[in-house]
Amino acid sequence: MPLPQDRAGFDNVTRDTGENREQAHRGGSCNWNGNGFTRYGLPLSPGRIPEDAHRGSDRKRRTALADPTVLGEHGGIWSDAAELKKRFWSDDVSERRKALFPFLWTTIAQQGQIFGNQTKGSIARVTNGMAFSYPGYNEMITGHPDPKIDSNGFGPNPNLSVFEWLNRAPEFHGKVAVYGTWNVFQNIFNEKRSGLVMQTGWDPPEKGNLTPRQELMNELYRSMTPLDDEDTYNSFIQIPLLEYVKTGQPRVLFVGYGETDNWAHAGRYDLVLESAHGFDHFVQQLWEQMQAMPEYRDSTTFILTTDHGRGSGPVEWKDHGVDEKGSENIWIAVLGPDTRSRGERENVAPVTQAQIAATVAAFLGKNYQQDVPLAAAPLPDVR
């Protein structure tokens, strides 16, 4: 069944190999972010959609593996359905999900851990009771839900995030960054107060004396016809992201991919699959680039997750929120040198979105709950 998900966010946690130094990087919600694994899928990090008229359900989500009930008339497919099935379909569920997310279901599943497959006794959920983006990201980065945040248009976040908290520490200051397709991340991370390095939405990414390549990137930002005025394409954030990792060398990094959610809200299941597959490639690309850099090699952890789940059914996959059953279900994946290889977790205690903030801090050797007692405890058995 469709596992559409919202923005994907993923965290990188990098541990320095020097004495008494640890670093964390985030890449995340994860965004990738959705129904997570309710049926069987994984972080479909790419997706966000145009703001719905109904603020409460907002947009976003992804799909974990191709769904036969949506590959036809209900999927709004403009591409050739036979070609999509050739690329993403298999009667074998394991092969089907691997076709959509090869990096997730090979490298991460073999070397890391994945929570959220309810058919195997693993539950991962949001606890904010709203199942849309801003409440989900707030829960993810602060460690606790806030009932006052009930709209994507809420404004600057009054709560302290683990990223802002880390940025206040001398060893991380100026080296904590947020790269995301959605411009609302500026409010979610409270850009003005937090002082985080930030690149979001359609703001041209390159500043100062530009190379021809950088000027071309800015021109594409200025001239491309947007699907969503608030949300750029995953590929547009990926290019400046990879450059920033090379030159800025962040200690802590959040990456939010939102494209799949946009296509899901638009009813384009074919493009949900395409952008989800692309998201998996972008995560692999970032992982391989960091592993090729001595600053990050064998000392970086990725935490991938999503801000909410999605409805499940021939039409319900297009939306999420309290009225769409299953929207509370998400997934969480962890890959890094401090995480034992356990693959898909089976028959384990439920985990929640709120546990991610303290987990990021714990990978850096920090106790986030000490200063933010409302925060949930770190994820168990991942470090």
Side-chain angles (χ1 to χ4, degrees):
M1 292 44 166
L3 292 191
Q5 272 144 280
D6 216 343
R7 285 171 200 292
F10 82 78
D11 311 329
N12 288 332
V13 182
T14 299
R15 174 177 42 78
D16 206 345
T17 53
E19 292 184 359
N20 303 320
R21 293 187 61 196
E22 294 195 6
Q23 315 176 44
H25 301 270
R26 294 183 60 116
S29 83
C30 217
N31 8 5
W32 351 87
N33 335 229
N35 235 353
F37 271 43
T38 309
R39 297 288 179 273
Y40 223 72
L42 265 204
L44 243 230
S45 253
R48 191 177 175 79
I49 48 186
E51 184 90 13
D52 290 332
H54 174 34
R55 282 274 195 187
S57 74
D58 278 344
R59 54 247 176 110
K60 298 176 226 168
R61 227 36 93 206
R62 290 136 230 214
T63 310
L65 46 73
D67 185 340
T69 66
V70 194
L71 279 173
E73 59 183 298
H74 294 295
I77 291 178
W78 296 4
S79 301
D80 181 64
E83 179 61 25
L84 283 176
K85 288 183 178 180
K86 182 179 179 181
R87 293 179 60 197
F88 299 121
W89 180 256
S90 170
D91 290 335
D92 186 307
V93 171
S94 296
E95 292 302 314
R96 188 157 79 244
R97 64 185 185 180
K98 191 182 296 183
L100 188 63
F101 294 120
F103 181 70
L104 179 67
W105 285 114
T106 53
T107 300
I108 297 179
Q110 292 172 9
Q111 300 178 20
Q113 298 184 29
I114 300 171
F115 296 86
N117 188 347
Q118 295 186 11
T119 67
K120 292 191 174 183
S122 177
I123 295 173
R125 286 179 173 158
V126 305
T127 63
N128 57 68
M130 298 184 197
F132 66 93
S133 295
Y134 198 146
Y137 282 117
N138 171 76
E139 179 179 339
M140 182 192 305
I141 67 174
T142 69
H144 59 89
D146 184 346
K148 298 188 297 299
I149 298 177
D150 58 1
S151 166
N152 282 344
F154 178 80
N157 195 339
N159 303 307
L160 177 71
S161 76
V162 68
F163 296 96
E164 182 177 352
W165 180 76
L166 288 168
N167 194 49
R168 293 178 179 180
E171 67 263 45
F172 300 114
H173 186 70
K175 291 291 185 178
V176 182
V178 174
Y179 271 63
T181 59
W182 195 27
N183 67 7
V184 179
F185 283 131
Q186 296 171 12
N187 283 330
I188 293 172
F189 288 87
N190 202 322
E191 181 179 19
K192 291 184 178 179
R193 188 192 66 212
S194 66
L196 301 175
V197 176
M198 191 164 293
Q199 174 60 44
T200 65
W202 285 99
D203 291 340
E206 308 297 349
K207 309 293 190 298
N209 296 321
L210 305 182
T211 65
R213 182 174 184 272
Q214 290 172 326
E215 180 54 47
L216 175 61
M217 190 74 248
N218 280 0
E219 181 59 26
L220 287 172
Y221 266 75
R222 291 189 291 262
S223 61
M224 177 62 71
T225 301
L227 169 66
D228 181 343
D229 288 341
E230 295 181 347
D231 213 337
T232 191
Y233 300 102
N234 290 348
S235 58
F236 275 33
I237 202 69
Q238 185 75 359
I239 295 172
L241 167 65
L242 295 177
E243 185 64 25
Y244 171 69
V245 169
K246 286 181 183 177
T247 60
Q249 297 183 8
R251 298 280 309 275
V252 186
L253 174 65
F254 174 94
V255 179
Y257 299 100
E259 193 175 306
T260 50
D261 189 57
N262 290 328
W263 293 124
H265 281 285
R268 291 294 304 274
Y269 189 65
D270 54 344
L271 296 180
V272 171
L273 294 177
E274 295 282 1
S275 57
H277 187 65
F279 153 77
D280 182 86
H281 170 69
F282 289 149
V283 174
Q284 179 180 3
Q285 191 177 36
L286 181 59
W287 175 260
E288 291 178 350
Q289 174 173 305
M290 297 182 84
Q291 291 304 309
M293 299 174 63
E295 296 84 359
Y296 298 118
R297 185 184 304 124
D298 297 329
S299 61
T300 298
T301 292
F302 278 20
I303 300 172
L304 297 93
T305 190
T306 182
D307 48 342
H308 56 76
R310 219 175 186 84
S312 182
V315 176
E316 293 82 355
W317 64 273
K318 300 176 184 179
D319 208 353
H320 55 87
V322 294
D323 295 329
E324 293 294 345
K325 185 178 180 180
S327 296
E328 72 281 4
N329 298 315
I330 61 171
W331 52 263
I332 301 171
V334 185
L335 172 67
D338 299 319
T339 299
R340 285 201 290 169
S341 302
R342 291 186 171 181
E344 260 187 303
R345 300 303 305 272
E346 301 182 23
N347 301 315
V348 292
V351 296
T352 69
Q353 187 179 58
Q355 293 179 268
I356 292 171
T359 303
V360 170
F363 272 113
L364 296 173
K366 306 295 182 182
N367 186 347
Y368 180 61
Q369 289 180 290
Q370 188 171 30
D371 288 346
V372 184
L374 288 176
L379 292 169
D381 303 323
V382 296
R383 53 180 296 277

